[in-house]
Coordinates of all heavy atoms in Angstrom, one line a residue:
Chain A
E215 N -7.1 -21.0 -16.4 CA -6.4 -22.2 -16.0 C -5.2 -22.4 -16.9 O -5.2 -22.0 -18.1 CB -7.4 -23.4 -16.3 CG -8.5 -23.4 -15.3 CD -8.5 -24.6 -14.4 OE1 -8.0 -25.7 -14.9 OE2 -8.9 -24.5 -13.3
Y224 N -1.4 -15.1 -22.7 CA -1.1 -14.3 -21.6 C 0.4 -14.5 -21.2 O 1.2 -13.5 -21.1 CB -1.8 -14.6 -20.3 CG -1.5 -13.7 -19.1 CD1 -2.2 -12.5 -18.8 CD2 -0.6 -14.1 -18.2 CE1 -1.9 -11.8 -17.7 CE2 -0.2 -13.4 -17.1 CZ -0.9 -12.2 -16.9 OH -0.6 -11.4 -15.8
R225 N 0.8 -15.9 -21.2 CA 2.2 -16.2 -20.7 C 3.2 -15.9 -21.9 O 4.3 -15.4 -21.5 CB 2.3 -17.6 -20.5 CG 1.8 -18.1 -19.1 CD 1.7 -19.6 -19.1 NE 1.0 -20.0 -18.0 CZ 1.6 -20.2 -16.8 NH1 2.8 -20.3 -16.7 NH2 0.7 -20.7 -15.9
Y228 N 1.5 -11.5 -24.0 CA 1.3 -10.4 -23.2 C 2.3 -10.1 -22.2 O 2.9 -9.1 -22.0 CB -0.2 -10.4 -22.6 CG -0.4 -9.4 -21.6 CD1 -0.7 -8.0 -22.0 CD2 -0.4 -9.6 -20.3 CE1 -0.9 -7.0 -21.2 CE2 -0.6 -8.5 -19.3 CZ -0.9 -7.3 -19.7 OH -1.2 -6.3 -18.9
F236 N 8.6 -2.4 -19.6 CA 9.1 -2.0 -18.4 C 10.6 -2.0 -18.3 O 11.2 -1.2 -17.8 CB 8.5 -2.8 -17.2 CG 8.6 -2.2 -15.9 CD1 8.7 -0.9 -15.7 CD2 8.5 -3.0 -14.7 CE1 8.7 -0.3 -14.4 CE2 8.6 -2.4 -13.5 CZ 8.7 -1.1 -13.3
Y248 N 23.0 10.1 -18.3 CA 24.2 10.6 -19.0 C 23.9 12.0 -19.5 O 24.8 12.8 -19.4 CB 24.5 9.6 -20.1 CG 25.7 10.0 -21.0 CD1 27.0 9.8 -20.4 CD2 25.6 10.6 -22.3 CE1 28.1 10.1 -21.1 CE2 26.7 11.0 -22.9 CZ 28.0 10.7 -22.3 OH 29.1 11.1 -23.0
A253 N 26.9 18.6 -13.0 CA 27.2 19.3 -11.9 C 27.3 20.9 -12.2 O 28.4 21.4 -12.1 CB 28.4 18.8 -11.2
M269 N 22.8 5.0 -5.3 CA 23.0 3.9 -6.3 C 23.9 2.9 -5.9 O 23.8 1.6 -6.0 CB 23.4 4.6 -7.6 CG 22.3 5.0 -8.5 SD 22.8 5.3 -10.2 CE 23.6 6.9 -10.0
R272 N 22.6 0.9 -2.6 CA 21.5 -0.1 -2.7 C 21.9 -1.4 -3.3 O 21.1 -2.3 -3.6 CB 20.4 0.6 -3.6 CG 19.8 1.8 -3.1 CD 19.1 1.8 -1.8 NE 17.8 1.3 -1.9 CZ 17.0 1.0 -0.8 NH1 17.5 1.2 0.4 NH2 15.8 0.6 -1.0
Chain B
L146 N 32.1 12.6 -27.3 CA 31.6 11.8 -26.1 C 30.3 12.4 -25.6 O 29.4 11.8 -25.2 CB 32.6 11.9 -25.0 CG 32.7 10.7 -24.1 CD1 32.8 9.4 -24.8 CD2 33.9 10.9 -23.1
G205 N 4.5 -6.4 -16.2 CA 5.6 -5.4 -16.3 C 6.4 -5.3 -15.1 O 7.7 -5.2 -15.2
Q236 N -4.5 -8.4 -13.4 CA -3.4 -9.4 -13.6 C -2.9 -9.9 -12.4 O -2.2 -11.0 -12.4 CB -2.3 -8.8 -14.5 CG -2.7 -8.2 -15.9 CD -2.9 -6.7 -15.7 OE1 -3.3 -6.2 -14.6 NE2 -2.8 -6.0 -16.8
Q240 N -0.8 -13.5 -11.7 CA 0.5 -13.6 -11.3 C 0.7 -14.5 -10.0 O 1.6 -15.2 -9.9 CB 1.1 -12.2 -11.0 CG 1.2 -11.3 -12.2 CD 2.1 -11.8 -13.3 OE1 1.7 -11.9 -14.5 NE2 3.3 -12.2 -12.9
E246 N 2.4 -22.0 -8.9 CA 2.9 -23.0 -9.8 C 4.4 -23.1 -9.7 O 4.9 -24.3 -9.7 CB 2.5 -22.5 -11.1 CG 2.0 -23.5 -12.1 CD 1.6 -22.7 -13.3 OE1 0.6 -22.1 -13.3 OE2 2.4 -22.7 -14.3
R312 N -11.0 -20.2 -8.9 CA -10.6 -21.5 -9.5 C -11.9 -22.2 -9.8 O -12.1 -22.8 -10.9 CB -9.8 -22.3 -8.5 CG -9.4 -23.6 -9.1 CD -8.0 -24.1 -8.6 NE -7.7 -25.5 -8.9 CZ -7.5 -26.0 -10.2 NH1 -7.6 -25.2 -11.1 NH2 -7.3 -27.3 -10.3
K389 N 16.2 -5.5 -4.7 CA 17.0 -5.7 -3.5 C 16.3 -6.1 -2.3 O 16.7 -7.0 -1.5 CB 17.8 -4.4 -3.2 CG 18.7 -4.5 -2.0 CD 19.7 -3.4 -2.1 CE 20.8 -3.6 -0.9 NZ 20.3 -3.2 0.4
H415 N 24.1 -0.4 -12.1 CA 24.3 0.8 -11.2 C 25.8 1.2 -11.5 O 26.0 2.4 -11.6 CB 24.1 0.4 -9.8 CG 22.7 0.4 -9.4 ND1 22.3 0.8 -8.1 CD2 21.5 0.1 -10.0 CE1 20.9 0.7 -8.1 NE2 20.5 0.3 -9.2
N426 N 30.0 14.2 -17.1 CA 30.4 15.3 -16.4 C 31.8 15.8 -16.8 O 32.2 17.0 -17.0 CB 30.4 15.2 -14.9 CG 28.9 15.5 -14.4 OD1 28.5 16.6 -14.1 ND2 28.2 14.4 -14.1

Side-chain angles (χ1 to χ4, degrees):
Chain A
E215 293 246 324
Y224 182 90
R225 280 167 192 269
Y228 172 74
F236 198 25
Y248 182 76
M269 271 196 283
R272 301 299 276 179
Chain B
L146 207 56
Q236 304 94 329
Q240 294 299 127
E246 220 174 281
R312 181 147 169 70
K389 182 162 184 282
H415 279 212
N426 274 281

